[in-house]
Amino acid sequence: MAAMTSVRSSLTTLRRLVVSHRLQQGPRLQALGPAPVVHISTPLTSIHWRGFRSSHVASGHVLPFKLSDIGEGILEVTVKEWYVKEGDRVSQFDSICEVQSDKASVTIASRYDGVIRKLYYDVDAVAHVGSTLVDIETDKAPEGDPEEDVVETPAMSYNHEKPQATPAVRRLAMENNIKLSEVVGTGKDGRILKEDIISFLAKQTGAILPYEVQNIPTPVISTPDTPPKEETPVTGPPAILRHIFSGEDRTAPLNGFQKAMVKTMSAALKTPHFGYCDEVDLTQLVRLRSELKDLAESRGVKLSYMPFFIKAASLGLLQFPVLNASVDESCQNITFKASHNIGLAMDTPQGLLVPNVKSVQALSVFDIAVELKRLQALGSAGQLGTADLTGGTFTLSNIGSIGGTYAKPVILPPEVAIGALGKIQVLPRFISRDEIAKAYIMNVSWSADHRVIDGATMSRFSNLWRSFLENPAAMVLDLK
Amino acid sequence: MILRLSNRACVLSGSARLKSTLSTCFDEMGKAGIILKSASTGIFENLALEDWIHDHVDLQNRSILLLWRNSPVVVIGRHQNPWQECNLPMLRRLGIPLARRRSGGGTVFHDFGNINMTFFTSKKKYDRHRNLKVVTSALKALKPDLDVTATDRFDILLNGHYKISGTAAKLGRTSAYHHCTLLCSVDRSVLSSVLKSNTSEVIRSNATPSVPSPVKNLSDVDPTLDSDTIMEAIASQYNNEFGFDSQVITVDPAHEALMPGIHKMSKDIQMWEWIYGKTPKFSVCASLVVDDVNVKLDMDIKSGIVEQCAVEIPEDWLPPETVNEFTSTLNGSKYCPNEAAVLLAAFVRTRSMSAGVAGKIQRLCEGVLSVM
């Protein structure tokens, strides 16, 4: 008896330590988790106890949760949405469902902690006030003595039971090499929370600010005057910084835009790419654009460099139509497309979209600027349609507007070529043998389908394109 | 008053564990009734403000009236179907946003000529008729011969016929709010055109339908009845009816320090998954004509995602395998024209097809997208 008393009092004083919630309730306790084998030794008895997993026979108490009075004399409501399903665990005050009556939407919250055992209504069914909405099985025995005098665990060392903690908390403890049994749990029923792990660690290392390291000797800058190898007193290695990593992996399904990109890029893999890069001196184009900017603005369009790049590409494609072509699946035939539908890689809030400007060969630089403005407005509003997104024959990507110099763009099927434009940099260049001047330099990186395009073709096209941009006056000769 | 609230926010913004600061201000004021006016005209900020007050302010011994107005927006009820309730292509063209509120009820159009009023009370004191009496009495105080009455469906009718106010409510565990609109000088031509769906005939659903009614503006009967005058009258009538003595306090819903968590609430209700994804299960059954060919389209949509998509097309127009790939591209995607356009564009790119077939597929895409 005396031993029994001492065990009981140790239990009360050590109430906060990890003692299984289940074991507190006596031998008839049923476990809702995995079946533990518990070795309980007390000074008086030695009992092996095995808890059974409950299936249909509810061992906790199943309580019907009724739809309470909503007020205003309302007698029935329509169940609109369930937030839980059978088998879900709920805590008191968690939302269970949403019901609607007469323009009022009501969130019904659980009155008990427990597990949902049965839903009584389907969505769109009519429920009467006072009828049962769900059955909840509660874990605790409602009242009654805890029956402490039969089985008592003298806490700590004899306790092989797993302490209560969520999987996330367990992982955090494991990553930091902490035994859960040594941590004091401050959650409900001694449950260990994340904060408990963090404060346990803080106590262990004594470091709260990870970057506060004491007494690191400052490196001596060796000059010819100071004697080499000055022995500064080293106060031991700096404390190992325990960074508490509490991140969790998160898996989410790919959204529609990502799936589209997966599909397109996977198909692009079939194309053997080769790359060709060059640099373009845009000094004269920069001057031209600044002269034309105001005129374009007076016509309602902000003039960027893209319309020039696109028009120059189209002029180049007239001389090298193989770059505006498409190869069929079996690579038996090549189709030379008549229309130059030049695509623009566009960065929108949803991701990468590539609308195209149709029939650039028939458009002026200003027309192209107007089209770009329309496509950009639709793109940022998320309203691009299939007409704008399909039918492209050649693509330009102005990645330089965000950053970068050289790139390795991926050809978008069924096209055979693509160009990525880097940022415009101001760099010094030799204009004659001895003079250096300021030049506006942009890099271009082309990729082409090596099954039908060879390096020479790409090089000549690039040179022609470059010549139009380095000397914009030459474009006037080929205006249609 | 707002300055004092800001100072409080500076002092209390240290720890998130402290009770919400706007709530603490109300406790300090010690008044049984408080009248608030929102400084924002953004629908999402204002809806978040309503939710925040509902979740964080103790309403057991205190009632609150919130007055707010928004720039043009269409607001649907919690369990409604936006494709059934309004003309989505027109909303997109006009740049009018769509919002879904947490209370039940039908679809409304807001602009600056519309006043919104939210009555926050404990569940015990929830009484919609009494709240509407505040509104009708306030209007009658401004113009005694005005014929405004509240119906048992909680509408307010002008001259017994024209609806000038609609109601919705949300009940939580311990507190509730009842909000209603009031048409003072709304643009009625925009209202009637955006609230008429272009695809309601093809939709089959159990979502709460709106009941359309003829509407009129209060300013049509008396031009002196503008929003500011009416808001003042409602505020003073609220004090009269319930025996309170509150001034009108301006609250800025963007003030995160004063209302911790409100920014996230505002972001949550802007997500596609809330606005469109919360639509109850529905199906679309449409007959389209593409290139003089009859096409029958059947789709089942749950949580805004296309679960089943079937297209009936004459075999000589398009080969069945192509049609099957077309429908499987749409399966599992959002019922959203932008996303569908991108997925179908990727399908057209990666599936090798002749120019003729590509053109047909593209026109078929446009037909299907027109119902989204």
Side-chain angles (χ1 to χ4, degrees):
Chain A
M1 210 50 201
M4 195 58 83
T5 322
S6 73
V7 171
R8 191 182 286 137
S9 63
S10 71
L11 234 192
T12 50
T13 51
L14 295 168
R15 201 166 57 89
R16 285 305 203 99
L17 284 179
V18 182
V19 172
S20 169
H21 166 70
R22 306 174 203 133
L23 285 174
Q24 276 177 338
Q25 302 205 2
R28 62 169 179 76
L29 173 80
Q30 309 299 323
L32 288 167
V37 178
V38 175
H39 192 101
I40 303 166
S41 331
T42 68
L44 290 187
T45 55
S46 181
I47 306 167
H48 273 273
W49 181 253
R50 183 183 293 271
F52 287 96
R53 188 195 182 92
S54 63
S55 51
H56 288 289
V57 179
S59 56
H61 287 247
V62 176
L63 299 164
F65 174 51
K66 294 188 198 294
L67 178 63
S68 54
D69 185 20
I70 307 240
E72 287 190 336
I74 291 166
L75 293 173
E76 55 187 36
V77 298
T78 314
V79 176
K80 281 296 192 179
E81 193 177 332
W82 284 106
Y83 295 126
V84 297
K85 52 187 191 299
E86 290 175 11
D88 282 351
R89 180 164 274 277
V90 292
S91 310
Q92 196 186 24
F93 306 149
D94 280 354
S95 298
I96 291 211
C97 65
E98 194 84 16
V99 303
Q100 180 163 266
S101 139
D102 199 19
K103 304 183 190 183
S105 185
V106 192
T107 311
I108 307 285
S110 174
R111 198 176 296 147
Y112 316 111
D113 291 337
V115 178
I116 303 284
R117 283 291 165 221
K118 185 174 169 175
L119 304 182
Y120 280 77
Y121 293 98
D122 285 329
V123 171
D124 288 331
V126 174
H128 294 272
V129 169
S131 66
T132 309
L133 274 178
V134 291
D135 281 339
I136 300 181
E137 184 194 322
T138 56
D139 328 297
K140 302 197 221 309
E143 290 89 19
D145 320 293
E147 290 178 69
E148 277 174 329
D149 45 1
V150 179
V151 172
E152 301 246 349
T153 33
M156 288 194 99
S157 35
Y158 293 107
N159 186 5
H160 296 270
E161 190 58 65
K162 261 180 164 180
Q164 281 211 320
T166 63
V169 172
R170 279 181 207 285
R171 191 181 320 131
L172 182 60
M174 188 184 73
E175 279 165 1
N176 290 287
N177 288 318
I178 296 172
K179 272 208 182 109
L180 281 177
S181 49
E182 290 164 18
V183 180
V184 176
T186 58
K188 208 160 39 150
D189 302 320
R191 182 185 287 265
I192 301 178
L193 306 173
K194 191 163 88 168
E195 292 79 60
D196 300 329
I197 304 275
I198 291 175
S199 56
F200 181 82
L201 267 177
K203 281 193 210 111
Q204 267 209 338
T205 61
I208 297 168
L209 294 169
Y211 299 103
E212 223 177 64
V213 184
Q214 301 88 348
N215 293 338
I216 288 203
T218 46
V220 177
I221 299 158
S222 54
T223 61
D225 297 320
T226 55
K229 293 266 189 295
E230 199 164 68
E231 302 280 310
T232 41
V234 177
T235 50
I240 296 167
L241 306 167
R242 303 282 294 258
H243 290 262
I244 298 167
F245 175 66
S246 56
E248 281 176 26
D249 291 348
R250 183 177 72 97
T251 307
L254 288 182
N255 67 34
F257 293 92
Q258 291 167 317
K259 284 193 198 154
M261 208 156 81
V262 168
K263 201 167 181 170
T264 312
M265 298 306 167
S266 303
L269 275 183
K270 295 191 199 130
T271 317
H273 288 51
F274 79 89
Y276 176 88
C277 304
D278 204 354
E279 78 172 32
V280 190
D281 187 335
L282 294 180
T283 314
Q284 295 207 29
L285 184 65
V286 169
R287 195 177 305 141
L288 177 66
R289 180 186 157 251
S290 60
E291 286 167 21
L292 294 175
K293 213 162 55 131
D294 295 329
L295 179 58
E297 201 114 9
S298 68
R299 292 207 227 162
V301 165
K302 193 159 170 275
L303 188 65
S304 65
Y305 294 106
M306 274 317 277
F308 295 101
F309 297 149
I310 294 172
K311 188 60 185 171
S314 172
L315 291 173
L317 289 173
L318 285 174
Q319 308 301 323
F320 296 95
V322 72
L323 288 161
N324 195 53
S326 186
V327 195
D328 65 3
E329 196 117 324
S330 53
C331 262
Q332 294 291 325
N333 296 305
I334 178 165
T335 310
F336 296 91
K337 299 274 163 92
S339 220
H340 300 166
N341 298 339
I342 300 193
L344 259 309
M346 198 179 269
D347 177 40
T348 67
Q350 291 90 26
L352 171 70
L353 294 182
V354 191
N356 56 82
V357 180
K358 301 275 195 290
S359 299
V360 177
Q361 75 278 4
L363 298 178
S364 66
V365 171
F366 183 76
D367 293 335
I368 299 171
V370 169
E371 255 303 280
L372 281 185
K373 182 176 165 186
R374 181 185 76 88
L375 291 172
Q376 266 151 5
L378 286 177
S380 40
Q383 288 175 25
L384 282 169
T386 39
D388 290 321
L389 289 170
T390 54
T393 56
F394 184 86
T395 304
L396 283 178
S397 165
N398 189 12
I399 189 71
S401 60
I402 301 175
T405 48
Y406 292 103
K408 191 177 177 298
V410 176
I411 302 168
L412 297 170
E415 298 163 22
V416 292
I418 183 171
L421 311 169
K423 61 178 185 271
I424 301 177
Q425 298 170 281
V426 180
L427 296 171
R429 286 285 179 271
F430 278 104
I431 49 170
S432 69
R433 261 186 50 134
D434 301 306
E435 280 172 47
I436 295 181
K438 173 169 131 174
Y440 289 85
I441 304 292
M442 179 183 78
N443 301 113
V444 59
S445 309
W446 302 104
S447 289
D449 183 342
H450 218 333
R451 296 174 296 181
V452 289
I453 315 284
D454 55 37
T457 311
M458 195 69 237
S459 178
R460 292 193 186 104
F461 168 82
S462 178
N463 290 340
L464 180 59
W465 181 77
R466 218 183 69 197
S467 70
F468 286 126
L469 296 172
E470 289 185 339
N471 187 14
M475 282 211 264
V476 176
L477 278 183
D478 290 306
L479 282 176
K480 282 201 205 295
Chain B
M1 200 52 164
I2 190 65
L3 194 61
R4 197 177 77 113
L5 290 171
S6 310
N7 288 340
R8 284 254 110 221
C10 293
V11 167
L12 293 168
S13 65
S15 166
R17 283 181 187 260
L18 268 186
K19 232 167 68 170
S20 30
T21 46
L22 185 70
S23 188
T24 324
C25 290
F26 291 159
D27 291 340
E28 301 234 323
M29 282 162 62
K31 290 203 176 173
I34 300 177
I35 303 178
L36 298 175
K37 187 166 137 174
S38 173
S40 166
T41 53
I43 182 67
F44 300 108
E45 289 191 322
N46 285 329
L47 288 175
L49 178 61
E50 272 190 328
D51 289 336
W52 195 93
I53 295 175
H54 180 67
D55 290 346
H56 292 96
V57 176
D58 180 5
L59 293 162
Q60 293 318 301
N61 300 310
R62 178 190 297 134
S63 299
I64 299 180
L65 167 65
L66 173 68
L67 297 164
W68 44 296
R69 285 192 290 167
N70 302 308
S71 39
V73 61
V74 170
V75 184
I76 56 175
R78 174 75 171 80
H79 307 287
Q80 291 201 295
N81 181 325
W83 290 275
Q84 220 177 13
E85 296 297 331
C86 50
N87 189 333
L88 288 175
M90 185 182 285
L91 257 73
R92 291 177 194 128
R93 261 200 316 275
L94 294 175
I96 296 178
L98 176 71
R100 181 188 294 267
R101 55 178 192 265
R102 289 190 196 274
S103 55
T107 304
V108 286
F109 171 72
H110 293 180
D111 67 18
F112 288 115
N114 168 69
I115 300 175
N116 298 302
M117 296 158 272
T118 312
F119 297 87
F120 294 91
T121 57
S122 64
K123 247 166 111 161
K124 289 201 183 70
K125 298 207 182 107
Y126 172 66
D127 184 348
R128 290 182 280 186
H129 282 299
R130 196 169 181 196
N131 296 335
L132 291 179
K133 201 170 107 185
V134 168
V135 181
T136 50
S137 311
L139 291 173
K140 289 209 177 93
L142 285 175
K143 189 170 154 61
D145 59 346
L146 199 61
D147 176 8
V148 283
T149 45
T151 67
D152 13 305
R153 283 199 76 242
F154 307 107
D155 295 335
I156 299 182
L157 297 180
L158 177 65
N159 298 340
H161 181 55
Y162 297 102
K163 183 169 166 181
I164 55 167
S165 165
T167 271
K170 174 101 186 73
L171 287 86
R173 207 170 45 83
T174 53
S175 49
Y177 62 80
H178 158 219
H179 54 200
C180 54
T181 54
L182 189 62
L183 295 176
C184 304
S185 51
V186 165
D187 187 337
R188 278 181 31 212
S189 61
V190 176
L191 186 154
S192 48
S193 44
V194 299
L195 291 185
K196 195 153 56 167
S197 163
N198 57 319
T199 51
S200 51
E201 335 67 74
V202 305
I203 295 181
R204 279 197 303 257
S205 108
N206 282 332
T208 319
S210 291
V211 176
S213 329
V215 295
K216 206 170 182 135
N217 278 314
L218 281 169
S219 59
D220 291 342
V221 290
D222 185 349
T224 63
L225 293 175
D226 64 280
S227 313
D228 290 306
T229 317
I230 295 180
M231 283 201 284
E232 266 185 50
I234 291 175
S236 62
Q237 188 59 28
Y238 181 72
N239 280 329
N240 284 345
E241 171 74 32
F242 293 100
F244 300 142
D245 67 345
S246 174
Q247 297 170 298
V248 178
I249 305 168
T250 308
V251 174
D252 180 8
H255 204 148
E256 174 79 15
L258 204 53
M259 291 167 280
I262 196 170
H263 184 71
K264 180 171 185 296
M265 282 172 142
S266 162
K267 285 275 167 265
D268 285 347
I269 55 177
Q270 289 183 57
M271 297 188 59
W272 192 96
E273 285 72 17
W274 171 258
I275 300 178
Y276 296 95
K278 281 292 181 185
T279 307
K281 198 163 63 161
F282 68 102
S283 50
V284 172
C285 188
S287 298
L288 311 162
V289 176
V290 181
D291 285 357
D292 294 330
V293 171
N294 286 327
V295 173
K296 216 164 135 325
L297 177 67
D298 267 290
M299 286 192 273
D300 289 332
I301 295 119
K302 187 169 162 203
S303 303
I305 308 282
V306 177
E307 296 225 307
Q308 277 262 64
C309 176
V311 183
E312 236 179 72
I313 290 183
E315 269 190 35
D316 52 356
W317 192 64
L318 269 182
E321 317 84 55
T322 314
V323 175
N324 279 340
E325 281 196 39
F326 177 83
T327 52
S328 61
T329 309
L330 288 174
N331 255 331
S333 71
K334 285 184 184 161
Y335 188 63
C336 159
N338 193 25
E339 185 159 315
V342 170
L343 281 167
L344 291 170
F347 163 65
V348 168
R349 266 192 196 283
T350 55
R351 181 94 168 44
S352 128
M353 50 180 78
S354 69
V357 172
K360 286 179 186 172
I361 292 271
Q362 207 223 289
R363 289 185 290 279
L364 176 64
C365 286
E366 287 180 356
V368 171
L369 261 48
S370 69
V371 290
M372 290 189 185

